[in-house]
């Protein structure tokens, strides 16, 4: 099988390329024209295609001989309009080009951000409601862009009869990407830990990539939507302790119960902050919930459909992220 991987030089993309190669597949990596691929260290077997999804030129040629598109590219920085243009418009151009080719299989990287965290109780899984309408547009630009990217991809797949798999990762972590938005708020050396015993929807980048590579070639994944987490998730308090120990950072963790913090944010937003939706995300209730709300998480669907289990344990993922000096959990 030959896979075209967009966003191949990104944090997740590099691991997906490695996982596809490890599973015996051929890879064509789509990267921007300015990307220095020599620093990545890919083997010569990886074909390099340079282009920009913001331009419609030469996109169709990237699909020559390709069996599956693994679409990882999405903007994670910049203003809301820039993220929407890069993620959504870029996806639309890419899929328009794909429609001119023989490729009929897509694996899309979506996100936990598409869920409506405000109404979910208990366990977040693939049946949980998605953010739509006003609930979506109160969220940040990344959530809006990812929701629209998924909608557009589903529309193209239905229109052209393509085989589509949507994977929704939780927090992807790994080397140089250990500090996560769900950990709370850092103020100097103080770490305000909201809901310290809540679980994080974690997937280590190497485990996540393994599932993407598996889904790209396994026919049982066709037509499925699968959340990507390594399991129930580590507790925030312990994970942050492991991160601080692994990086050698000095810091003091200050626990704050989730419902105390959320009610303070909700009251302040409705009164002294005057419902200003241009405030930082942690001061807007629905965005606060999307980062901090204590829920349960599961990878049961990946297990049941594909027989998938994360190849690396949490202890091994810590070693891969921080090095062998981290031998005990926080």
């Amino acid at each position: 099988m030959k896979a075209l991987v967009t966003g191949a030089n990104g944090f997740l993309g590099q691991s997906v390329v490695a996982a596809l190669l490890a599973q015996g597949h051929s890879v064509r990596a789509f990267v921007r024209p300015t990307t220095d691929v020599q620093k990545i260290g890919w083997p010569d077997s990886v074909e390099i295609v340079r282009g920009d999804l913001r331009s419609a030129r030469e996109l169709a040629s990237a699909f020559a001989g390709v069996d599956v598109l693994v679409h990882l590219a999405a903007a994670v920085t910049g203003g809301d309009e820039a993220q929407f243009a890069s993620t959504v418009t870029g996806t639309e151009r890419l899929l328009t080009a794909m429609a001119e080719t023989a490729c009929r299989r897509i694996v899309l990287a979506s996100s936990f951000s598409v869920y409506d965290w405000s109404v979910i109780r208990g366990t977040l899984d693939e049946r949980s409601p998605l953010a739509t309408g006003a609930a979506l547009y109160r969220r940040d630009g990344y959530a809006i862009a990812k929701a629209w990217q998924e909608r557009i991809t589903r529309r193209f797949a239905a229109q052209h009869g393509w085989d589509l798999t949507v994977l929704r990762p939780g927090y992807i972590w790994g080397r140089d990407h250990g500090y996560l938005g769900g950990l709370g708020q850092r103020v100097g050396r103080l770490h305000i830990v909201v809901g310290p015993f809540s679980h994080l929807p974690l997937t280590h980048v190497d485990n996540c990539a393994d599932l993407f590579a598996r889904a790209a070639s396994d026919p049982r994944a066709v037509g499925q939507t699968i959340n990507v987490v390594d399991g129930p998730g580590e507790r925030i308090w312990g994970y942050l302790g492991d991160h601080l120990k692994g990086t050698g950072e000095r810091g003091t963790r200050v626990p704050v119960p989730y419902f105390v913090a959320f009610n303070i944010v909700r009251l302040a937003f409705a009164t002294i902050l005057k419902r200003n939706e241009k405030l930082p995300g942690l001061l807007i209730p629905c965005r606060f919930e999307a980062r901090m709300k204590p829920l349960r998480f599961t990878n049961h669907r990946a297990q049941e459909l594909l027989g998938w289990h994360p190849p690396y344990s949490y202890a091994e993922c810590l070693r891969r992220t921080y090095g062998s000096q981290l031998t005990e959990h926080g």
Side-chain angles (χ1 to χ4, degrees):
M1 180 192 80
K2 175 174 282 190
L4 172 64
V5 182
T6 66
N9 61 301
F11 174 53
L12 175 59
Q14 291 185 44
S15 290
V16 169
V17 169
L20 286 164
L21 293 174
Q23 294 182 24
H25 306 302
S26 300
V27 176
R28 179 175 294 154
F30 189 97
V31 300
R32 288 189 172 181
T34 57
T35 300
D36 184 355
V37 297
Q38 297 299 320
K39 292 182 178 180
I40 299 174
W42 282 326
D44 293 339
S45 61
V46 176
E47 297 180 45
I48 306 298
V49 174
R50 296 182 181 274
D52 192 329
L53 297 184
R54 294 170 296 182
S55 170
R57 293 175 295 177
E58 302 302 323
L59 292 180
S61 61
F63 288 92
V66 166
D67 301 298
V68 57
L69 166 65
V70 181
H71 186 29
L72 310 176
V76 296
T77 59
D80 291 356
E81 291 184 3
Q83 288 191 53
F84 191 92
S86 181
T87 299
V88 180
T89 305
T91 294
E92 194 165 25
R93 286 174 172 158
L94 178 69
L95 299 184
T96 298
M98 178 174 160
E100 302 173 6
T101 74
C103 184
R104 291 293 181 269
R105 176 87 175 94
I106 310 175
V107 176
L108 173 69
S110 184
S111 166
F112 264 37
S113 67
V114 302
Y115 288 109
D116 189 348
W117 289 68
S118 296
V119 301
I120 300 171
R121 302 288 185 272
T123 300
L124 186 155
D125 61 20
E126 293 85 353
R127 299 167 297 179
S128 297
L130 305 182
T132 58
L136 174 61
Y137 291 106
R138 286 194 295 266
R139 299 280 297 283
D140 60 22
Y142 178 78
I144 295 169
K146 292 301 289 186
W148 273 98
Q149 183 187 45
E150 187 174 320
R151 290 179 191 177
I152 285 174
T153 303
R154 290 186 186 278
R155 186 188 72 196
F156 267 86
Q159 179 180 349
H160 296 285
W162 296 338
D163 293 334
L164 171 64
T165 301
V166 175
L167 299 183
R168 295 174 179 155
Y171 284 118
I172 305 174
W173 66 291
R175 187 173 295 276
D176 300 323
H177 291 78
Y179 196 86
L180 308 171
L183 294 179
Q185 182 62 45
R186 180 162 44 187
V187 183
R189 291 185 177 180
L190 287 181
H191 296 266
I192 311 302
V193 185
V194 178
F197 301 113
S198 301
H199 294 269
L200 288 163
L202 296 174
T203 178
H204 189 270
V205 64
D206 293 332
N207 287 334
C208 185
D210 181 80
L211 183 52
F212 268 84
R214 177 86 65 89
S217 61
D218 194 323
R220 294 174 295 180
V222 171
Q224 301 293 334
T225 298
I226 303 172
N227 286 350
V228 188
V229 290
D230 291 350
E234 300 299 315
R235 295 187 186 275
I236 297 173
W237 189 263
Y239 175 85
L240 178 55
D242 287 336
H243 171 76
L244 293 174
K245 184 176 181 180
T247 59
E249 295 179 34
R250 293 185 177 183
T252 301
R253 292 170 287 173
V254 180
V256 179
Y258 169 81
F259 291 104
V260 171
F262 178 66
N263 285 326
I264 291 172
V265 168
R266 185 166 56 180
L267 178 61
F269 183 72
T271 55
I272 60 175
L273 300 179
K274 300 179 180 179
R275 300 186 180 277
N276 179 2
E277 296 193 356
K278 294 184 179 180
L279 292 163
L282 281 179
L283 299 178
I284 300 173
C286 67
R287 299 183 190 180
F288 182 94
E289 286 183 299
R291 281 179 57 179
M292 305 294 179
K293 191 172 185 177
L295 296 172
R296 294 185 294 272
F297 309 99
T298 175
N299 60 14
H300 286 168
R301 181 168 288 186
Q303 291 182 33
E304 293 168 358
L305 288 174
L306 306 179
W308 182 79
H309 296 274
Y312 304 109
S313 68
Y314 179 63
E316 173 62 16
C317 291
L318 287 174
R319 190 194 67 77
R320 287 171 168 255
T321 301
Y322 301 109
S324 58
Q325 72 271 18
L326 184 59
T327 58
E328 298 179 1
H329 298 175

